[in-house]
Amino acid sequence: MLSPLTMNLDELLDKIRACRLCEAQLPLGPKPVLRASATARLLVVGQAPGIRVHESGIPWNDASGMRLREWLRMERERFYDQSQVAIVPMGFCYPGKGSSGDLPPRPECRQTWHPQLIPLLTNIELILLIGHYAQDFFLGARRRGTLTDTVRAWADYAPRYFPLPHPSPRNVGWFKQNPWFEAEVLPALRERIRALFPPGR
């Protein structure tokens, strides 16, 4: 078996898309949804595909994605250009419904595929960590005690990482309770995105 250092990125993506590791636990069956290329400079790490994304096969193809692109002030065309933006959730398949939203991402992806995939994305300059699953995996002990505290301390993780809450409509209450996010964090996020992708280029 090829090691993560010698495996071609396209070969690895083919293996991931053919993955059946947790097939028995997935209510709609396996359908890994991710995008990546060796030239991408921005990495978007979310939770796991929702039902609409599972059906379409297009990541962030829902209300959460619309809000995320508004946060970034990024047009849809650039967001879905995998030569510029890699989209790699913590779980690649729809995990099913829980009592209060979707179930957590399956652990098999972060255990099996992320340690092989992330090192092959060698041109990434900024990683958006959306939600506490992504923040826990990438930040480890550097993560604050709560998502709110981690997001508020976003500058401590620069320039490599930028922690964010999930843009789901379910989090509208959090946005209202934390006005500093829109007033302070989003302008800083947009400045980073503009620096990464200057207008007109």
Side-chain angles (χ1 to χ4, degrees):
M1 180 177 177
L2 293 173
S3 74
L5 295 179
T6 59
M7 181 177 288
N8 176 277
L9 177 58
D10 290 336
E11 288 180 287
L12 181 60
L13 290 172
D14 286 343
K15 292 186 68 170
I16 291 173
R17 291 178 177 123
C19 178
R20 297 295 181 270
L21 283 175
C22 54
E23 184 171 13
Q25 286 76 42
L26 298 172
L28 300 182
K31 187 180 179 181
V33 178
L34 73 161
R35 296 186 177 204
S37 77
T39 59
R41 290 187 292 152
L42 174 66
L43 173 59
V44 179
V45 184
Q47 183 166 308
I51 185 68
R52 286 191 59 186
V53 170
H54 174 87
E55 291 170 347
S56 69
I58 302 173
W60 295 100
N61 187 37
D62 52 18
S64 295
M66 291 179 64
R67 177 177 276 120
L68 176 60
R69 290 191 294 275
E70 168 58 24
W71 285 356
L72 304 177
R73 293 280 164 84
M74 183 179 289
E75 64 276 14
R76 186 181 177 93
E77 182 180 8
R78 187 189 295 276
F79 185 80
Y80 286 116
D81 180 353
Q82 69 179 20
S83 71
Q84 302 183 67
V85 179
I87 303 174
V88 179
M90 290 308 302
F92 300 141
C93 296
Y94 171 63
K97 278 290 182 189
S99 58
S100 58
D102 291 345
L103 290 170
R106 296 288 313 169
E108 290 84 354
C109 294
R110 68 176 180 268
Q111 294 167 355
T112 305
W113 299 121
H114 285 77
Q116 299 184 61
L117 177 59
I118 302 304
L120 296 181
L121 302 178
T122 55
N123 282 307
I124 296 298
E125 298 179 35
L126 176 63
I127 302 177
L128 305 184
L129 302 176
I130 302 173
H132 73 88
Y133 294 105
Q135 291 160 18
D136 185 56
F137 181 78
F138 282 87
L139 300 179
R142 296 180 63 203
R143 183 172 68 90
R144 300 297 197 272
T146 66
L147 179 141
T148 299
D149 290 342
T150 303
V151 173
R152 191 188 288 270
W154 63 270
D156 292 348
Y157 308 108
R160 179 72 170 169
Y161 303 110
F162 206 117
L164 295 168
H166 199 284
S168 168
R170 290 178 175 271
N171 283 341
V172 168
W174 187 93
F175 305 141
K176 291 180 178 178
Q177 292 169 13
N178 297 280
W180 52 265
F181 175 71
E182 183 173 356
E184 303 168 19
V185 179
L186 288 186
L189 173 63
R190 289 164 180 160
E191 183 177 345
R192 291 297 312 279
I193 296 298
R194 282 195 301 271
L196 200 58
F197 304 112
R201 293 181 59 185

